[in-house]
Amino acid sequence: MKILLIGGSGNIGRAIAAELSGRHEIIAAGRHHGDVRVDIEDEQSIAAMYRQLPRLDAVAVATGGRNGHVGPLAEMNAERYRVGLDAKLMGQVNLVLRGLDKVADGGSFTLVGGAWQPQAIVPLLSNVYMANAALEGFVNAAAVELPRRLRINLVSPLLLAESEAEYGPLFRGVPLVEARQVARAYSLSIEGAQTGQTYRLGRLD
Amino acid sequence: MKILLIGGSGNIGRAIAAELSGRHEIIAAGRHHGDVRVDIEDEQSIAAMYRQLPRLDAVAVATGGRNGHVGPLAEMNAERYRVGLDAKLMGQVNLVLRGLDKVADGGSFTLVGGAWQPQAIVPLLSNVYMANAALEGFVNAAAVELPRRLRINLVSPLLLAESEAEYGPLFRGVPLVEARQVARAYSLSIEGAQTGQTYRLGRLD
């Protein structure tokens, strides 16, 4: 398969490349690295990226762009919620919408969610939880409308072991999941048969 | 209790009023009806509404404003997804953020989601599912950050029996739920003790 991997330089992206590059052709895309450049918050940049690419069998997204505004609920407002809605949510949604004609029959889109478990919710991240939940709703709904047996799934890891040093203080006690386990969920989505699924990694129950 | 009911003239709003008005004081707010007027898509209108009101014990939202853009996935774009994100999602989020100082200790916010079940997803509604899922993420996350024992829950009905004539053709075969059952979930949220919950009504399993 020809797999477009967007955000290949992060922990998850590198693990996906390690998991899949032995048996598939990976085309890496990123804001600063990769075979093609793309800013997922810019629809024109997404369109320009797809124009440069051959027919694809899968689009795997491993970045949420700016992700979401981190801050106390009491200091949130519509503008701050807009960060996650424009970047992580609509950035990925636009990658799907603009890529519909680029992916071969039976091909797949795999998006990235994140910190997801109601029992393990921590403060400061309401924008991130909002965007991740919205992605789940989108993936559920888009799955029933995709043409040509195209499929779509969401991979939602809790805290990456590889990110503990950076984000651990925000997520004290939250279960860790290794990037290579997350990459296996991408394999399940891309090389499997399911659609409309959310693959959750790192549970506390 | 003094309960602000936003969207009191719809099917759910009328059922909430019928359920709660015998034992509580209901202040009705709406775009065209009610004791006070509010356009939930306009933050200044929300702020102006709250300025006119006394201290509240509960805010119950029974309207999602314009709700969301209904249309085929192939015709969706960022601007159309913005309808549900600005109206149903951020309209309700702003009702919470702007109302934080207006609700007495231990008081509650109850928001309205909707068509929610992955097994009963129908076409054309990806914007609505996105906004409803995002509300669930927001409610989960806001619950752990609300001060003064304030609580927040989401009521998510599938298709209302009372709306079958209007929306039934969009939702063939989807389980029906009566507005008075939905109103009982508002009672559970307002008169109960839980927070961060999504009360789902109308399941197919």
Side-chain angles (χ1 to χ4, degrees):
Chain A
M1 287 192 223
K2 271 196 176 59
I3 301 172
L4 174 66
L5 172 58
I6 298 157
S9 64
N11 286 315
I12 294 177
R14 288 198 307 271
I16 295 169
E19 171 72 31
L20 296 175
S21 62
R23 54 189 184 272
H24 300 291
E25 178 189 344
I26 307 284
I27 302 168
R31 194 195 294 244
H32 305 296
H33 304 91
D35 305 307
V36 285
R37 297 295 154 87
V38 65
D39 172 1
I40 70 166
E41 287 188 57
D42 175 351
E43 287 189 62
Q44 296 316 314
S45 171
I46 291 172
M49 170 190 69
Y50 280 124
R51 276 197 300 272
Q52 298 169 58
L53 297 176
R55 195 101 175 134
L56 301 166
D57 298 293
V59 174
V61 190
T63 178
R66 286 182 298 163
N67 222 320
H69 179 89
V70 175
L73 185 72
E75 295 172 13
M76 291 301 289
N77 55 38
E79 193 185 337
R80 287 173 176 174
Y81 282 118
R82 193 69 72 203
V83 176
L85 298 178
D86 284 349
K88 186 153 194 187
L89 175 60
M90 292 310 303
Q92 294 194 76
V93 167
N94 285 326
L95 282 168
V96 174
L97 298 178
R98 298 277 181 166
L100 281 178
D101 293 337
K102 202 73 195 188
V103 177
D105 293 8
S108 66
F109 294 90
T110 309
L111 307 186
V112 63
W116 57 271
Q117 189 163 17
Q119 289 142 288
I121 292 234
V122 298
L124 306 183
L125 295 173
S126 60
N127 187 207
V128 176
Y129 292 116
M130 175 193 280
N132 290 343
L135 280 164
E136 191 169 338
F138 171 74
V139 163
N140 284 162
V144 304
E145 291 198 59
L146 286 176
R148 300 183 292 108
R149 296 176 293 107
L150 294 175
R151 300 179 299 106
I152 184 168
N153 297 296
L154 180 67
V155 176
S156 279
L158 240 164
L159 179 60
L160 282 194
E162 290 82 352
S163 304
E164 198 186 3
E166 190 175 359
Y167 299 116
L170 277 174
F171 292 96
R172 292 288 180 213
V174 161
L176 298 173
V177 55
E178 292 183 8
R180 71 187 186 88
Q181 298 290 1
V182 178
R184 290 187 65 81
Y186 279 79
S187 162
L188 189 60
S189 173
I190 295 167
E191 303 180 293
Q194 298 253 28
T195 190
Q197 302 300 309
T198 297
Y199 298 122
R200 307 181 196 280
L201 294 111
R203 8 179 20 113
L204 187 74
D205 64 5
Chain B
M1 287 192 225
K2 271 196 176 59
I3 301 172
L4 174 65
L5 172 58
I6 299 157
S9 65
N11 286 315
I12 294 177
R14 289 199 307 272
I16 295 169
E19 172 73 30
L20 296 175
S21 60
R23 52 188 185 271
H24 300 291
E25 178 190 342
I26 306 285
I27 302 169
R31 195 195 294 243
H32 305 297
H33 305 91
D35 306 307
V36 285
R37 299 294 155 89
V38 66
D39 172 0
I40 70 166
E41 287 188 58
D42 174 352
E43 287 190 62
Q44 297 314 314
S45 172
I46 291 172
M49 170 191 69
Y50 279 124
R51 277 196 299 273
Q52 297 169 58
L53 297 176
R55 195 101 174 134
L56 301 165
D57 298 294
V59 174
V61 190
T63 179
R66 286 181 297 162
N67 222 322
H69 179 90
V70 175
L73 184 72
E75 294 172 13
M76 291 300 290
N77 55 37
E79 193 184 337
R80 287 172 176 175
Y81 282 117
R82 193 70 73 202
V83 176
L85 297 179
D86 283 349
K88 186 152 196 189
L89 175 60
M90 292 310 302
Q92 294 194 77
V93 167
N94 285 325
L95 281 167
V96 175
L97 298 178
R98 298 276 180 167
L100 281 178
D101 293 337
K102 202 72 195 186
V103 177
D105 294 6
S108 66
F109 294 90
T110 309
L111 307 185
V112 64
W116 57 271
Q117 188 164 18
Q119 288 143 287
I121 293 238
V122 298
L124 306 184
L125 294 173
S126 59
N127 188 208
V128 176
Y129 292 116
M130 176 193 279
N132 290 343
L135 279 163
E136 191 169 338
F138 172 73
V139 163
N140 284 163
V144 304
E145 291 198 59
L146 287 175
R148 299 182 293 107
R149 297 175 294 108
L150 294 175
R151 299 179 301 105
I152 184 167
N153 297 296
L154 181 68
V155 176
S156 279
L158 240 164
L159 179 60
L160 283 193
E162 290 83 351
S163 304
E164 197 187 2
E166 190 176 357
Y167 299 116
L170 278 174
F171 293 95
R172 292 288 181 214
V174 161
L176 298 173
V177 56
E178 292 183 6
R180 69 185 188 88
Q181 299 290 0
V182 179
R184 292 186 65 81
Y186 279 80
S187 162
L188 190 59
S189 173
I190 295 168
E191 302 180 294
Q194 297 253 31
T195 191
Q197 302 300 308
T198 297
Y199 298 122
R200 308 181 195 279
L201 294 111
R203 359 179 28 110
L204 186 75
D205 65 5

